[in-house]
Amino acid sequence: MPREELPQDSPPKGPARHPGHRLPYEGPASADRPQVAVLSSGRPRIIALDVLRGFTLCEILLANIQLIANGGTAVATQPMGNWDPWLGLPIFSLLFGIGFSLLLDSAANRVLRPRLVLLRRLLALLAIGLVHMLLWPGEILTKYAIVGMLVLLPSSWLPRWAVAGLSAVLVTVAMIGGGGPLLIAGLFLLGSALVRYGVIEQIEQSTRGPVLLGLVFAAGLASALWVQASMRAVGATTQLPFMSTLADLLLAGVYVCVLLILLRTPLRPALQFVFAPLGRMALTNYLTATLLVLAAGRVLGLPIGQSLPAAFQAAGIVLTAQWLMSTLWLRRYRQGPIEWLWRWATWAHRPPLNRGRTP
C-alpha cells in the first residue's frame, strides 16, 4: 500500500518547516522520549507510522485473501464469515493522506514546483494500480491515485482549517451513503490536516492524547453498536449503513490509539521488530501478496477461496515470507524495490538504493 517517501539523498533546502517540526533526537530511548530514526535528509522517521502501516497491511491481506483467490472484488462478498477485517481501508487511507502532506512539506523545501512532484507520484501510482488490476480487480491503488489527484492535490492550496472542515463534511456524507470514494477522500484530507496542524510531528511524544482519544472512540463504538442492535430489534434498517460505517471508523480509531499507547510501553521494540519492516515496504508487500496468493491457489492448488483454515494458513505463510524478505532487504537497501521505483518516478531522477551508496 501507499506510504510516504521522504527524500533521503540531500539535506532540505528552502524555507523552514512549520513550527511543529521536531529536530532529530539522537539520544537514548526512554519511556517518555523514544528514539527516532533519522533520515539522511535530516528529518526524523516516524516509526509509529511504519508500525501502523505494517499492522494494517496484515488486516488488508486477511480481508482480501479469499477474494484474491476467487478473483472477486472487495465489495462483492463478506470474506472470512462474520469476522470483519476491513478496518485496514480507513487506516491506510488516513496514512496515505499523512504521507502526502509529509512529502509535500519535504518537496516544498527542495524544488520550485512541489505539486508537480506530487502529481508525478500519483500518476505513477495510477500506472502501478492499473497493472496490478490485471491480477486483482479489487485492488485499491487506482482509486487512491484518482482520489488523490481530484481531492488531495487541489487541497494543498487550501488553508488547513478548510482542509479539516472539508474532511468532516466528506466523511459525514460518506457515512450516510455507506462509504465509498467519498470516505477515502475524507480520510485523505483528515490525514493531511493532522500533518498541517502538527499532530503527526508529536505522535511519538504523547501517551495521554491516545489514551483520551481511545476512550472517546471506545465509548462511541459501544454506543454505535447498541444503537445498531436496537435498530435491528425493531426492524429499522434505513440507518444501518450509516451506523455500520460509523462503528467501523470508531473501531479503526480504537485500533490506532491502542497501538500508539503500546508503542509507549516496553512492548515497543517487539512491535517495531514485527510490524515496521512490513510497513516500510508496504507497497512492495501489497503487490507481492497478490502474486503469492494466486500462486498458492492456482499453482499449489490450496483451497484458499473455499476454506477458512486454508485462508488463514496461507495468510500466515505469506506474511511470514514477506516479513523475512523485508527484514533482510532493508539491512542492505534504503527502501523496498517498488518503493524505490515509485520514488524514482516521483522525483524524476534515479535515487540511491544501496545503503552504502551516496548520490
Side-chain angles (χ1 to χ4, degrees):
M1 293 291 295
R3 57 184 289 269
E4 84 277 5
E5 280 301 325
L6 304 181
Q8 303 177 30
D9 48 350
S10 66
K13 300 183 179 73
R17 294 182 176 90
H18 61 73
H21 173 66
R22 291 183 287 114
L23 294 176
Y25 172 63
E26 298 178 345
S30 67
D32 297 324
R33 200 175 188 185
Q35 188 173 10
V36 178
V38 180
L39 301 175
S40 59
S41 64
R43 183 169 197 156
R45 185 176 198 93
I46 305 175
I47 302 300
L49 297 182
D50 290 329
V51 173
L52 282 171
R53 193 177 294 110
F55 174 81
T56 310
L57 185 74
C58 299
E59 286 195 323
I60 289 287
L61 178 59
L62 290 172
N64 287 339
I65 188 166
Q66 288 185 302
L67 299 170
I68 293 173
N70 288 332
T73 63
V75 296
T77 185
Q78 175 76 9
M80 297 197 171
N82 293 324
W83 184 63
D84 185 6
W86 287 107
L87 304 177
L89 178 62
I91 298 175
F92 256 131
S93 299
L94 183 71
L95 290 171
F96 190 90
I98 290 171
F100 182 92
S101 281
L102 288 175
L103 181 59
L104 179 60
D105 180 47
S106 184
N109 291 323
R110 294 191 58 199
V111 298
L112 294 177
R113 302 174 68 184
R115 292 176 180 85
L116 180 60
V117 172
L118 272 298
L119 178 60
R120 287 198 299 262
R121 186 168 185 79
L122 293 169
L123 288 173
L125 185 65
L126 178 61
I128 294 171
L130 290 174
V131 174
H132 187 219
M133 190 180 291
L134 299 176
L135 298 175
W136 165 223
E139 72 90 37
I140 197 66
L141 301 181
T142 52
K143 295 183 180 68
Y144 273 28
I146 293 171
V147 173
M149 285 186 282
L150 293 178
V151 177
L152 266 180
L153 198 57
S155 75
S156 64
W157 278 278
L158 298 176
R160 61 184 186 178
W161 61 265
V163 173
L166 183 58
S167 169
V169 171
L170 290 177
V171 169
T172 301
V173 173
M175 287 193 299
I176 295 173
L182 285 181
L183 181 60
I184 294 175
L187 292 171
F188 278 4
L189 294 178
L190 176 58
S192 178
L194 291 175
V195 173
R196 295 175 68 174
Y197 275 98
V199 175
I200 299 304
E201 296 286 355
Q202 303 299 322
I203 198 173
E204 297 268 22
Q205 306 301 318
S206 172
T207 303
R208 179 182 299 178
V211 168
L212 294 177
L213 194 58
L215 291 174
V216 171
F217 285 149
L221 175 62
S223 300
L225 294 176
W226 179 81
V227 171
Q228 274 186 293
S230 301
M231 291 171 63
R232 288 192 177 99
V234 299
T237 60
T238 56
Q239 296 300 320
L240 278 179
F242 174 86
M243 297 307 301
S244 178
T245 305
L246 176 61
D248 284 346
L249 291 177
L250 291 170
L251 183 55
V254 171
Y255 268 97
V256 171
C257 291
V258 168
L259 272 176
L260 293 178
I261 293 168
L262 292 177
L263 286 172
R264 300 282 292 167
T265 71
L267 291 175
R268 179 187 176 91
L271 292 171
Q272 184 173 334
F273 179 77
V274 172
F275 294 116
L278 292 170
R280 289 184 62 188
M281 288 178 50
L283 180 57
T284 295
N285 288 329
Y286 175 71
L287 297 172
T288 56
T290 301
L291 296 174
L292 293 173
V293 171
L294 292 176
R298 299 178 184 179
V299 178
L300 301 180
L302 296 180
I304 298 173
Q306 294 75 39
S307 169
L308 186 58
F312 276 113
Q313 292 170 8
I317 293 171
V318 168
L319 290 172
T320 300
Q322 290 185 329
W323 177 87
L324 182 61
M325 179 189 73
S326 299
T327 301
L328 295 177
W329 180 276
L330 291 170
R331 289 179 180 177
R332 182 172 181 180
Y333 301 107
R334 295 168 180 253
Q335 55 196 158
I338 306 300
E339 285 80 4
W340 177 70
L341 291 172
W342 194 21
R343 185 178 171 208
W344 189 347
T346 297
W347 294 96
H349 65 79
R350 182 178 178 180
L353 180 60
N354 195 299
R355 286 187 176 277
R357 288 185 53 199
T358 55

